[in-house]
Structure formats: structure tokens, C-alpha cells
Amino acid sequence: HGNGGSIAAVREQIAYFRKHYKVIAMDSRDRGKSGDSPDKITYEKMADDCDALLAHLNAGPAYVLGWSDGAIEALLLAQRHPEKVKKIAAMAANLNPTEEAQYPEWIAWVKQSLAAVPDAQKNTPQWRHTAMMLEEPRIDPKALEAIAAPTLVLAGDHDVIRDEHTLEIYHHLRNGELAIFPHATHVIP
């Protein structure tokens, strides 16, 4: 699970993985075909939604692949519900919404995008989710040390997430691997 991206690319990835695994593809709250959240959304709530979905389907432990928001959710799922996670691939995650984690140009673009939205549209799921990116996540890097599942941390070398922040995530994992894609952006998946 993750955000945006090309539908065709996602379909190709799902088709590939279906040859070897049972694939559960989900849309997070306020995304795609998932229902709108009646209250403020958080990454913790979305990670708990993943747990609830796996419980409902009587599935898990699972291989969890997440990109961007989905990568944050994957890390939180492993932290909050370790029994549900076998392995993780987390692409372009961040632990906080600050310039420590993200490049200032990206944060400025998000703020500009929100400022350009008419007030009548600001409470729609898409824009509530975009606004959340300026407030969340708030994950203490040391909390990642509780994750026992083997975790592959991925990023593009021209991502909106700082390379140093990706390394910080990797260094706080007990069982982590790291892959940085050269000449790649946030939308490499």
C-alpha cells in the first residue's frame, strides 16, 4: 500500500507478486476505495487498520511492502503488531514531517498546494491527507529498535526524503538492509 502512483505500474507489481504469494492490496483511510475517516487520521490508526484487515482475513504474519505513507504504516505495523509481520520492504519512509527528514522544497510545495485549495475543498479526504503530511508522522527513531522483522529500507537518491534520514531509519533497525536506487526519485515504484 502507498500513495498515488501509476495504476498500470501497481497492477504489474501485483500481477508479479501473485505468481508467488497471496496478495492483499489495500487503500488506506481516505485513499482510493477505502472509506473516509470520520475524525482526524493518523499513521497509527492506518497501521491499526492494516492489523484489523489481516485479522479479518485470518492472514499473517505477512510480507509487508509499503511506499511513502505505506512505508510509514509498514514500520508502525511491525512496531505495534509484531506478530503480523514476517518481513518488510519500506520505500521512502519518514519518521517526522520536518526539514530534518524531508527537503524544504517538498514541504514548501505541500504548503503551496494546500494554500491554493478553496476552503470548500479543504475538508475532502485528499486534502485532509495532504495536510496530515505537515503534522505527521511523529515516530521516535529509537522506537524502530523494537522491530524484529527483517526490514529492507529503500529510497531513491533524489527522493523527497533526505538520504540522511533514510540512513537514520536503517541504523535504528535490528535486522535491516538498505538499498538506495541511483538516479531515482520518490516515484520510482
Side-chain angles (χ1 to χ4, degrees), residues 76-99:
L76 285 170
L77 178 67
Q79 179 194 351
R80 296 167 69 87
H81 307 283
E83 72 286 355
K84 296 292 178 70
V85 178
K86 187 178 280 188
K87 291 183 179 181
I88 302 167
M91 172 75 187
N94 61 299
L95 305 180
N96 65 65
T98 69
E99 289 184 13

Side-chain angles (χ1 to χ4, degrees), residues 78-134:
Q79 179 194 351
R80 296 167 69 87
H81 307 283
E83 72 286 355
K84 296 292 178 70
V85 178
K86 187 178 280 188
K87 291 183 179 181
I88 302 167
M91 172 75 187
N94 61 299
L95 305 180
N96 65 65
T98 69
E99 289 184 13
E100 170 190 305
Q102 303 171 75
Y103 287 103
E105 299 83 5
W106 169 249
I107 294 171
W109 181 84
V110 172
K111 288 179 179 178
Q112 276 183 316
S113 297
L114 285 167
V117 175
D119 288 340
Q121 292 180 2
K122 285 190 177 173
N123 200 30
T124 62
Q126 173 189 353
W127 293 109
R128 281 194 319 238
H129 194 94
T130 302
M132 180 185 75
M133 292 190 306
L134 297 174

